[in-house]
Amino acid sequence: MTSKIINMAERIKDAEDRLLESMFESAPIADDGFSVKLVKRVRRRLWLQRLALPVAAVLGGAVAIRPLADLVTAMANLSFSVTSIVPEELVTATAGLIPQAPFVVLGAMLLAVCLLGLRAIDD
Amino acid sequence: MRHSDDHQLVARIVSGQDTAAFGELVRRHQSQVRNFLRKLTGDIALADDLSQDCFMHAWDKIHGFSGRGSFIGWLLKIAYTTFLQSKRKSKRYAEILDEAGHVAEAESRLYSVQPDEVTDLDKLLAVLTDEERAIMVMSYACGLSHREISEATAMPVGSVKSVIFRGKEKIRTSFDIKDHQHG
């Protein structure tokens, strides 16, 4: 009820209001490529956003692969010292696997990048 | 009808980042937004730059559009915020220039009309403060209701009404406009 009264009061315009409306009135501005330019800008931004993650992953992967490999090797060496309580057969089997660790990490990273890339294309 | 159309377009953008729907919204409302900013700044090029920024902000914040009010009201709220931010930035820039011993020209860029193209409306807008100008333009040029202006400016409806009253009073005293003369 109160809002109806407010709306009614708002609609009752005096001569001054009508004069101001006519003074503020202006011709519509032609689009002239404004919206096209904006949509292009939005699309470009979307592409950049979609591209940013895979590119960052690849670059990060390239930078991190060496330290990661070193870390894995160090971890493996550490595990050798701890494996005295582990049965001999298990230690031999793990030792055979450890030299492959950097390749496993690289493979996992490539897989992650491929999955992200596929998701970006899918989007 | 138009409101529900706008809301459908917004829903398409929110659900699927539909740039075509966004393009349609821009086409529909660019004239009002650009007009609003041109009247606020008095500078066509600056207003168009700010309009672009406004629509880009709208794209970023479209998930926040509740759909309760009109889309143009929400858009003008962003346009007004964009204008205020730009003004703050140029004020800071002017201060830096001032400190460096240069003439502060950046701030004067906001609401600066070329002397040879001053219209009656420009004279009228020049006597108003930024806030009064924004509210008067929203009310008289964009046709927003007091409630919509209140949402756009984050001011209570009562304050919006007093600003409009004050603005009219200023115009009346500066230009000798009287109610009975135009009745």
Side-chain angles (χ1 to χ4, degrees):
Chain A
M1 184 67 185
T2 319
S3 66
K4 269 186 184 174
I5 293 168
I6 292 169
N7 287 342
M8 284 279 283
E10 237 177 81
R11 275 182 204 145
I12 301 167
K13 289 174 185 164
D14 57 18
E16 193 182 46
D17 285 326
R18 283 194 291 275
L19 174 73
L20 281 170
E21 269 179 1
S22 67
M23 288 184 87
F24 275 88
E25 202 172 48
S26 47
I29 299 171
D31 188 290
D32 285 336
F34 180 86
S35 56
V36 175
K37 211 180 344 178
L38 256 167
V39 169
K40 270 186 192 164
R41 213 173 136 184
V42 166
R43 284 190 182 140
R44 202 165 43 232
R45 186 191 277 195
L46 274 178
W47 258 106
L48 284 173
Q49 280 171 352
R50 284 170 187 169
L51 220 64
L53 199 60
V55 168
V58 170
L59 289 176
V63 172
I65 188 70
R66 186 83 192 239
L68 262 177
D70 291 346
L71 185 72
V72 168
T73 318
M75 293 268 288
N77 291 337
L78 188 71
S79 69
F80 281 135
S81 58
V82 184
T83 47
S84 53
I85 49 164
V86 182
E88 187 73 23
E89 310 87 68
L90 194 64
V91 174
T92 337
T94 321
L97 284 173
I98 294 300
Q100 309 299 322
F103 297 103
V104 172
V105 173
L106 181 67
M109 284 178 121
L110 278 173
L111 183 69
V113 169
C114 286
L115 286 173
L116 284 169
L118 279 173
R119 209 178 125 193
I121 291 166
D122 193 35
D123 282 343
Chain B
M1 185 65 189
R2 178 95 185 221
H3 280 198
S4 63
D5 283 358
D6 283 350
H7 291 185
Q8 280 172 7
L9 289 170
V10 171
R12 274 170 57 190
I13 298 168
V14 172
S15 61
Q17 292 195 314
D18 189 338
T19 49
F22 182 68
E24 180 55 32
L25 276 176
V26 176
R27 258 186 300 281
R28 282 183 185 188
H29 300 294
Q30 57 85 24
S31 175
Q32 261 190 305
V33 171
R34 288 162 83 188
N35 242 327
F36 171 67
L37 287 166
R38 281 183 189 189
K39 286 189 172 83
L40 270 192
T41 60
D43 182 328
I44 293 175
L46 175 65
D48 282 0
D49 286 348
L50 291 180
S51 303
Q52 286 219 14
D53 292 346
C54 162
F55 279 109
M56 290 308 286
H57 288 152
W59 169 263
D60 291 335
K61 293 177 182 170
I62 201 119
H63 291 83
F65 175 60
S66 63
R68 268 183 290 128
S70 65
F71 184 71
I72 184 67
W74 181 77
L75 210 50
L76 290 181
K77 178 186 183 171
I78 297 178
Y80 185 49
T81 314
T82 310
F83 164 74
L84 290 178
Q85 280 171 350
S86 144
K87 192 166 177 174
R88 235 172 278 141
K89 263 187 218 163
S90 38
K91 195 177 174 188
R92 215 163 43 228
Y93 178 59
E95 280 167 4
I96 293 167
L97 280 181
D98 218 22
E99 278 167 24
H102 291 276
V103 179
E105 58 181 66
E107 197 182 359
S108 66
R109 210 188 151 199
L110 283 157
Y111 212 78
S112 58
V113 183
Q114 296 300 309
D116 54 332
E117 48 191 53
V118 175
T119 62
D120 286 347
L121 181 63
D122 294 325
K123 286 181 201 162
L124 195 136
L125 290 171
V127 299
L128 304 173
T129 64
D130 284 338
E131 187 183 70
E132 289 163 352
R133 201 181 304 139
I135 289 174
M136 296 290 277
V137 173
M138 280 182 195
S139 177
Y140 292 105
C142 306
L144 258 59
S145 69
H146 292 162
R147 187 168 294 279
E148 283 175 316
I149 298 173
S150 140
E151 280 163 16
T153 54
M155 281 168 79
V157 178
S159 308
V160 169
K161 285 180 183 173
S162 5
V163 171
I164 292 176
F165 181 79
R166 207 168 53 228
K168 280 161 81 173
E169 195 67 32
K170 271 191 186 176
I171 292 168
R172 210 177 288 136
T173 46
S174 306
F175 299 99
D176 198 26
I177 296 171
K178 288 184 183 70
D179 282 357
H180 64 268
Q181 283 181 340
H182 308 282

